[in-house]
Amino acid sequence: MPRVKYGSVVRGLVILGLFCLWLQIMLSASSGGIYRDGEYSESVVYRGMSNGDAISELPGKEELMNANETSEQVLRLVPPELHKYLTVHARNASGNSTEKSVLRNITDIRRAIQRNNDAQTIYNEDIFGPVQNDTLIIAIQVHTRLTYLRHLIVSLAQARGIDKTLLVFSHDYYDEEINTLVRSIDFTKVMQIFYPYSIQTHPHEFPGRDPNDCPRDAKYDAAIKLGCNNAKHPDLHGHYREAEYTQTKHHWWWKANRIFNQLQCTAGHTGMVLFLEEDHYVAEDFIHMLNLLKSTADKTCPYCEILSLGTYLKTYQYHVNGDKRKKQLTLNYIQQVHAANEERRRRQQESQTWNFQVYPNLYSSKQKVEITPWHSSMHNMGFAFNRTVWNSIMELQDLFCNYDDYNWDYSLLKLSQNRPGREKFRVILCKGPRVFHIGECGIHHKKSNCNASTVISKVQKLLQNAKSYMYPNRVTATITAGGAKQNKKLVKGNGGWGDIRDRELCTNMTKIGRQRKQYTNTPHLADLL
Ligand SMILES: *[C@@H]1O[C@H](CO)[C@@H](O)[C@H](O)[C@H]1NC(C)=O
Ligand SMILES: *[C@@H]1O[C@H](CO)[C@@H](O)[C@H](O)[C@H]1NC(C)=O
Ligand SMILES: *[C@@H]1O[C@H](CO)[C@@H](O)[C@H](O)[C@H]1NC(C)=O
Ligand SMILES: *[C@@H]1O[C@H](CO)[C@@H](O)[C@H](O)[C@H]1NC(C)=O
Ligand SMILES: *[C@@H]1O[C@H](CO)[C@@H](O)[C@H](O)[C@H]1NC(C)=O
Ligand SMILES: *[C@@H]1O[C@H](CO)[C@@H](O)[C@H](O)[C@H]1NC(C)=O
Ligand SMILES: *[C@@H]1O[C@H](CO)[C@@H](O)[C@H](O)[C@H]1NC(C)=O
Ligand SMILES: *[C@@H]1O[C@H](CO)[C@@H](O)[C@H](O)[C@H]1NC(C)=O
């Protein structure tokens, strides 16, 4: 008898064990970030954490990232005539340091920025013709990640129809090496605009860090007693501003204002403006897809105000359990970024298996598009809208500028959810992405196996395998109500935007009107500076 009992106990344990195993598999399958048809799995982006404690990739690291990380493997898939964009010219470190001292002198950089912005020079206009009212404008926000920018340029160079566009590079870091690269582009019209309130040009004063600004973690009472500049204006989490974290939102806002409201060449522009960043990579048919999205929207979805070409390379779920979350909250932003990066890298190494199977939609002849509520962290990559939509954003600029969140995309989401008498933004997006985020590995992991080359060669191969499915003639559209995440009302922001100076600067940027070109013959002068 005892033997029988023992047997059934064992059987029970085995069944329980199997059940646990099954449960674990189910859980890991649902958290493994497998792209499931019909819905997005949580795509957590650089913010690392879901809204509530979102964080951006660490910006502001004033170091030009310009290593020769291009492996032979990557180079093989780049047409020889485009290798020039990947060639890293070693800085002339030895001997004459004239160039360096010029770059170090902030007065000179400010002058060069002003001169360049005033001139509004459009390179290659003589070859590719003037900007028309319906020209596709591609706005590229550039910080210092030159390695990635090189690859973005290579991908743009290979896109069909690129010669009809205007590329607007918007810089918050002035550097001759970056400028030389951008000005060497010869496949379409190019313009550079320079964000004039950067930390680089204001290292010891607002919008940079003023020595009399309150320390980030100062307590309110202590700050008041200290009498530091922004003592009365901590953010909603009780922290004081950090310049690096506000710059990206300022820059994004300034760039959009500059392009829609200030440049002379856009005075009558009614076409699309597509927003990219330096570490994106485009598929060769992205312009074709954008046009297809537009014509689909015109027919089936006139209320779709935003078009989106992108999604994230890999989708992960970021599990923040209670304990961890509490711990994270006690870290400062920079530590949080490191923690999130670490976590992301760990996950990446655990599952280095993503490949084209992640993107079944890129590999089908009947390509799908989806119409769904716009969400900041899902649809902030490779998205486009026109002036009509911009004007509706401008009407609610206070919501953007006064929302206590240093993320421009969450600020836009706030605006989207609070449009008087209007629905939130709808986006029409292609489910087979045409824009990829290659900068995921970050600046801080040079040693890991997650380097630029690794990611880029994966994207290259993915796109090569998908070649026969590119340039679809038509797409099938599905309308979805969106998941819980898309429909969740933002309650409070992520903070980092409590300082009234930031809000004021943001508002000030909208007050600048259209500016006539000056110094029409200055490219040379500007080059000299
Ligand atoms: C990048 O990673 C690949 C393999 O993952 C390696 O072969 C290559 O040497 C690495 N490059 C650099 C610059 O670390
Ligand atoms: C960059 O690295 C690749 C491969 O390691 C090499 O073939 C190429 O010559 C290098 N380019 C420069 C400009 O150093
Ligand atoms: C570095 O600068 C010196 C002096 O201007 C010049 O003679 C030399 O050719 C430069 N070297 C390179 C590699 O450009
Ligand atoms: C750098 O070169 C310029 C001329 O090219 C020369 O006038 C200057 O003295 C040099 N400076 C140094 C530090 O070598
Ligand atoms: C910057 O350099 C210019 C000459 O190139 C010089 O006149 C000016 O005094 C310098 N400014 C500073 C702050 O060093
Ligand atoms: C562009 O639009 C503006 C304003 O609507 C108009 O005055 C101008 O003629 C248009 N330009 C072209 C080339 O169609
Ligand atoms: C801009 O896009 C909106 C929404 O898609 C559309 O209704 C509007 O007609 C477009 N405006 C222009 C000037 O094309
Ligand atoms: C905004 O503009 C006003 C008026 O020109 C100016 O007094 C104020 O200093 C500006 N604020 C910031 C933060 O730039």
Side-chain angles (χ1 to χ4, degrees):
M1 294 305 143
R3 193 172 279 190
V4 174
K5 246 186 192 158
Y6 179 70
S8 64
V9 167
V10 168
R11 199 158 51 227
L13 282 175
V14 167
I15 288 170
L16 190 70
L18 284 175
F19 175 73
C20 288
L21 191 67
W22 173 79
L23 195 68
Q24 186 143 23
I25 288 169
M26 292 315 282
L27 283 177
S28 62
S30 68
S31 68
I34 295 158
Y35 186 91
R36 278 161 287 149
D37 203 10
E39 62 172 302
Y40 274 99
S41 25
E42 183 96 347
S43 95
V44 178
V45 205
Y46 2 75
R47 261 145 220 102
M49 284 163 242
S50 56
N51 176 41
D53 44 2
I55 46 173
S56 281
E57 198 163 16
L58 179 65
K61 188 160 165 66
E62 306 296 22
E63 178 192 302
L64 196 62
M65 188 193 166
N66 189 28
N68 178 12
E69 272 194 47
T70 305
S71 67
E72 294 293 351
Q73 200 185 8
V74 167
L75 224 47
R76 251 197 318 251
L77 289 176
V78 175
E81 68 273 18
L82 301 180
H83 285 188
K84 61 183 176 193
Y85 298 120
L86 300 176
T87 306
V88 177
H89 298 282
R91 270 185 198 260
N92 196 345
S94 65
N96 204 310
S97 59
T98 317
E99 188 195 26
K100 256 188 185 156
S101 59
V102 165
L103 288 177
R104 288 238 173 95
N105 184 327
I106 289 165
T107 319
D108 280 351
I109 294 179
R110 284 187 184 179
R111 262 211 340 246
I113 286 176
Q114 167 132 37
R115 216 169 256 284
N116 276 284
N117 282 345
D118 286 347
Q120 301 187 30
T121 306
I122 299 174
Y123 300 94
N124 306 329
E125 202 173 17
D126 48 341
I127 303 167
F128 298 101
V131 177
Q132 308 283 340
N133 286 346
D134 62 352
T135 295
L136 172 63
I137 294 180
I138 301 175
I140 303 161
Q141 186 156 330
V142 183
H143 183 50
T144 59
R145 304 176 79 189
L146 189 47
T147 298
Y148 291 106
L149 183 61
R150 293 177 183 283
H151 287 280
L152 171 61
I153 291 171
V154 165
S155 73
L156 288 167
Q158 297 176 78
R160 192 183 290 174
I162 195 71
D163 54 338
K164 309 251 175 4
T165 65
L166 170 67
L167 303 182
V168 179
F169 290 85
S170 183
H171 302 271
D172 59 30
Y173 189 79
Y174 190 92
D175 179 88
E176 281 309 335
E177 220 161 334
I178 299 178
N179 294 343
T180 305
L181 172 69
V182 168
R183 288 170 196 169
S184 74
I185 292 173
D186 58 7
F187 52 83
T188 190
K189 294 184 283 292
V190 170
M191 181 174 210
Q192 287 186 292
I193 59 179
F194 294 89
Y195 172 62
Y197 315 107
S198 70
I199 297 171
Q200 184 194 25
T201 53
H202 301 80
H204 308 301
E205 61 186 307
F206 181 86
R209 186 176 163 73
D210 189 304
N212 196 33
D213 281 354
C214 304
R216 187 241 185 209
D217 289 320
K219 293 275 171 288
Y220 184 82
D221 294 336
I224 293 285
K225 224 160 115 190
L226 205 62
C228 44
N229 287 336
N230 43 342
K232 288 198 191 130
H233 305 285
D235 71 3
L236 58 91
H237 302 300
H239 300 305
Y240 290 100
R241 102 186 267 274
E242 287 172 289
E244 306 81 47
Y245 283 88
T246 62
Q247 176 157 293
T248 309
K249 176 168 165 178
H250 279 310
H251 183 180
W252 191 88
W253 185 242
W254 176 82
K255 169 189 67 180
N257 273 278
R258 180 88 188 147
I259 290 173
F260 282 110
N261 298 350
Q262 296 168 22
L263 295 179
Q264 204 183 320
C265 68
T266 60
H269 189 257
T270 50
M272 287 284 162
V273 176
L274 174 70
F275 292 86
L276 295 177
E277 290 171 31
E278 62 188 348
D279 59 351
H280 291 169
Y281 192 96
V282 297
E284 63 168 78
D285 68 342
F286 82 97
I287 296 170
H288 172 86
M289 278 311 287
L290 199 63
N291 291 332
L292 200 52
L293 285 175
K294 177 92 179 80
S295 58
T296 310
D298 287 345
K299 267 182 265 160
T300 62
C301 173
Y303 52 87
C304 281
E305 290 169 282
I306 297 179
L307 317 179
S308 170
L309 292 169
T311 192
Y312 286 84
L313 254 185
K314 226 173 84 57
T315 51
Y316 345 69
Q317 262 173 342
Y318 194 95
H319 290 288
V320 193
N321 61 34
D323 277 3
K324 211 160 161 194
R325 193 187 168 108
K326 222 182 244 159
K327 214 165 85 196
Q328 299 277 14
L329 283 178
T330 66
L331 302 176
N332 69 26
Y333 284 131
I334 292 182
Q335 287 168 323
Q336 283 179 28
V337 170
H338 282 308
N341 276 343
E342 261 333 290
E343 175 71 14
R344 199 172 55 223
R345 190 160 61 89
R346 200 175 56 71
R347 284 176 184 280
Q348 215 146 9
Q349 283 167 354
E350 277 168 7
S351 52
Q352 273 285 341
T353 52
W354 67 264
N355 53 28
F356 63 85
Q357 283 155 350
V358 184
Y359 292 125
N361 285 301
L362 192 54
Y363 286 82
S364 70
S365 44
K366 260 176 67 186
Q367 298 208 13
K368 293 176 189 158
V369 304
E370 185 183 355
I371 292 163
T372 192
W374 182 82
H375 188 275
S376 48
S377 68
M378 290 162 128
H379 311 127
N380 64 3
M381 188 168 72
F383 75 108
F385 54 77
N386 66 17
R387 175 181 302 284
T388 313
V389 179
W390 172 249
N391 288 341
S392 82
I393 292 173
M394 285 298 280
E395 280 170 24
L396 300 174
Q397 47 167 286
D398 282 352
L399 276 173
F400 186 94
C401 287
N402 292 320
Y403 185 50
D404 192 353
D405 195 320
Y406 69 97
N407 297 287
W408 61 264
D409 52 353
Y410 277 93
S411 308
L412 210 52
L413 183 61
K414 174 73 179 175
L415 187 153
S416 166
Q417 290 182 349
N418 292 279
R419 305 202 297 169
R422 299 179 78 162
E423 290 278 316
K424 51 192 169 227
F425 288 134
R426 301 289 151 146
V427 60
I428 179 164
L429 64 106
C430 49
K431 299 190 77 172
R434 263 50 181 195
V435 176
F436 299 84
H437 182 215
I438 55 175
E440 308 200 355
C441 289
I443 308 166
H444 313 287
H445 300 301
K446 284 185 186 143
K447 276 174 285 174
S448 79
N449 66 355
C450 182
N451 60 35
S453 271
T454 317
V455 180
I456 291 159
S457 74
K458 281 186 178 180
V459 174
Q460 283 177 332
K461 280 185 202 133
L462 180 98
L463 290 173
Q464 226 181 21
N465 289 333
K467 225 176 169 96
S468 55
Y469 300 107
M470 297 220 161
Y471 306 100
N473 292 321
R474 41 190 291 260
V475 291
T476 55
T478 51
I479 301 177
T480 70
K485 178 172 170 173
Q486 277 155 283
N487 290 300
K488 192 172 152 219
K489 189 102 176 158
L490 285 177
V491 184
K492 55 180 187 173
N494 294 297
W497 201 264
D499 200 306
I500 47 165
R501 294 173 297 177
D502 283 317
R503 298 177 178 200
E504 211 177 272
L505 178 61
C506 181
T507 303
N508 279 4
M509 287 176 193
T510 66
K511 295 191 175 141
I512 302 167
R514 206 166 296 280
Q515 297 172 329
R516 297 199 68 77
K517 276 189 181 203
Q518 291 175 35
Y519 318 111
T520 41
N521 60 343
T522 41
H524 297 296
L525 244 172
D527 281 340
L528 281 175
L529 287 167

